DNA sequence: CTCCTCCTCCCCCGCGCGGGGGACCCGGTT
DNA sequence: AACCGGGTCCCCCGCGCGGGGGAGGAGGAG
């Protein structure tokens, strides 16, 4: 029993491209497509798809609104996988809040996309790699509000973090601590790893949010 | 070619239960198990699994730390799927920050779990339904305007500073604000100038110290 | 009308940063 | 004895950042 798909995108080229890719999978069938959110609602009602691949930016009702309407009609019948070219956090959050089951970039590998479709069809929500990381990054700051002590930093790492959070560069920290730049970098790297920070800015944020600075 | 799995949980019963469930899938093979984070690192080095099913709460190095270490060794080789009985947001965030590819509850359906394993093995990150919703819910809007602490800042500059202090890169800010990188850089430069900061790190410090972040 | 601020986007360029290696010493465990 | 974690120092490399410059449009104030 094959999965019934509905493609929604205002760009005809994208629709036909997707169609070719998806139809080459034996267990997937494209049962319809639409170029606007409003058309998507009609098409969904007619074709009763398992999964809707939904673009975000569209004329005449965007993908978010269309998703919200589909979910309102029946929260479990057509699963919605939001598809966009933009690495746009705002869309991500709003899409999922509207009730989308997943979110993927158009630039992802065909394999990855097909994977995502099957997963979503099963009723499992997912967000592809990059986006997930971003989701977490943007949440991170509000995380440790009050509690959640920092992971076990070594003595030197804690010293370095204090100076990093004082706005000093690696060279300045080296001078202040009578160390070489390389050593400071080693410690900074250790701090970043343990705090799950991408750069010193995120480390400083973690330091403040965790109460490390006020303690 | 079958997927090689490593089970990590301090409870032997859980390990054997999982083993039975997973071995019944023809394309899954359990190549080892461990009862602590430290053991997990050893076992991973020996058995070179595709996916590690990792418990969070464990004696002698918890799942988060073990995950971080595995990812540090090789960010793509053993994918880590964090498994827990607790619907604990903090674990969720910290696990994924440590570099886990996914997160699932032990109480999920076997099918769902098996699904998740296959997806993660492909290199796709995922968070199961309930958790995703929670993740979004907790990402409350930092959209709050007004109460402008640093008053010399223009509206745009304040917006940008908020995101900089959220740990985002210029490119990410551009994405979220629907702007070009250049424009973001312009605003960041303005912020740095007005705050007397040398780089974004010092700007974040100023933002925290001035009460800009708590207002 | 002009002037000015704010917002938007573009170029080039130097440099600090962070990741990848590796190396050595020391002290405590095993 | 071998081992390991913490601390120190070194290399190379890619890239994001921040500064320099310029430019156009929208809107308010004079």
């Amino acid at each position: 029993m094959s999965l019934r798909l509905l493609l929604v995108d205002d760009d005809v080229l994208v629709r036909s491209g997707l169609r070719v890719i998806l139809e080459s999978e034996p267990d997937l069938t494209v049962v319809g497509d639409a170029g606007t959110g409003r058309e998507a609602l009609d098409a969904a009602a007619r074709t009763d798809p398992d999964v809707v691949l939904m673009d975000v930016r569209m004329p005449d009702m965007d993908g978010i609104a269309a998703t919200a309407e589909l979910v309102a009609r029946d929260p479990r019948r057509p699963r919605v996988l939001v598809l966009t070219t933009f690495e746009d956090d705002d869309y991500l959050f709003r899409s999922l809040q509207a009730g989308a089951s997943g979110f993927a970039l158009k630039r992802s590998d065909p394999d990855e996309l097909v994977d995502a479709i099957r997963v979503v069809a099963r009723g499992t929500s997912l967000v592809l790699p990059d986006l997930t990381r971003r989701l977490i990054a943007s949440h991170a700051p509000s995380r440790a509000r009050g509690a959640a002590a920092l992971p076990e930093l070594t003595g030197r790492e804690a010293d370095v973090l204090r100076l990093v959070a004082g706005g000093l560069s690696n060279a300045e920290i080296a001078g202040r601590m009578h160390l070489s730049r390389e050593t400071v970098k080693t410690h900074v790297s250790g701090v970043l790893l343990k705090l799950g920070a991408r750069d010193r800015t995120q480390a400083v944020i973690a330091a403040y949010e965790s109460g490390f600075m006020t303690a």
Side-chain angles (χ1 to χ4, degrees), chain A residues 63-161:
Chain A
I64 314 266
T67 298
E69 174 59 24
L70 281 176
V71 172
R73 287 184 187 170
D74 182 344
R76 51 183 51 222
R77 201 43 250 297
R79 300 284 175 179
V80 178
L81 180 60
V82 172
L83 212 51
T84 180
T85 38
F86 310 98
E87 291 158 293
D88 188 319
D89 300 16
D90 230 34
Y91 286 152
L92 212 192
F93 303 131
R94 287 170 47 217
S95 303
L96 292 174
Q97 269 174 329
S101 292
F103 194 97
L105 296 177
K106 282 181 189 167
R107 78 160 69 110
S108 28
D109 286 347
D111 280 2
E112 215 171 43
L113 179 60
V114 170
D115 234 33
I117 292 172
R118 296 204 185 99
V119 171
V120 167
R122 288 215 184 191
T124 301
S125 300
L126 98 167
V127 177
L128 290 181
D130 289 355
L131 287 312
T132 303
R133 247 188 292 111
R134 192 155 302 147
L135 197 55
I136 293 148
S138 60
H139 171 84
S142 61
R143 171 182 106 245
R145 194 73 62 171
L150 266 41
E152 343 78 48
L153 297 178
T154 67
R156 293 259 105 171
E157 285 170 349
D159 294 339
V160 168
L161 175 56

Side-chain angles (χ1 to χ4, degrees), chain A residues 161-199:
Chain A
L161 175 56
R162 229 161 256 124
L163 294 179
V164 167
L168 304 198
S169 69
N170 288 338
E172 287 166 345
I173 295 172
R176 176 97 48 115
M177 290 178 71
H178 308 290
L179 296 175
S180 83
R181 235 156 287 193
E182 319 304 330
T183 303
V184 174
K185 285 179 64 177
T186 301
H187 292 314
V188 169
S189 292
V191 170
L192 297 185
L193 180 67
K194 290 180 181 173
L195 300 195
R198 189 174 52 192
D199 50 46

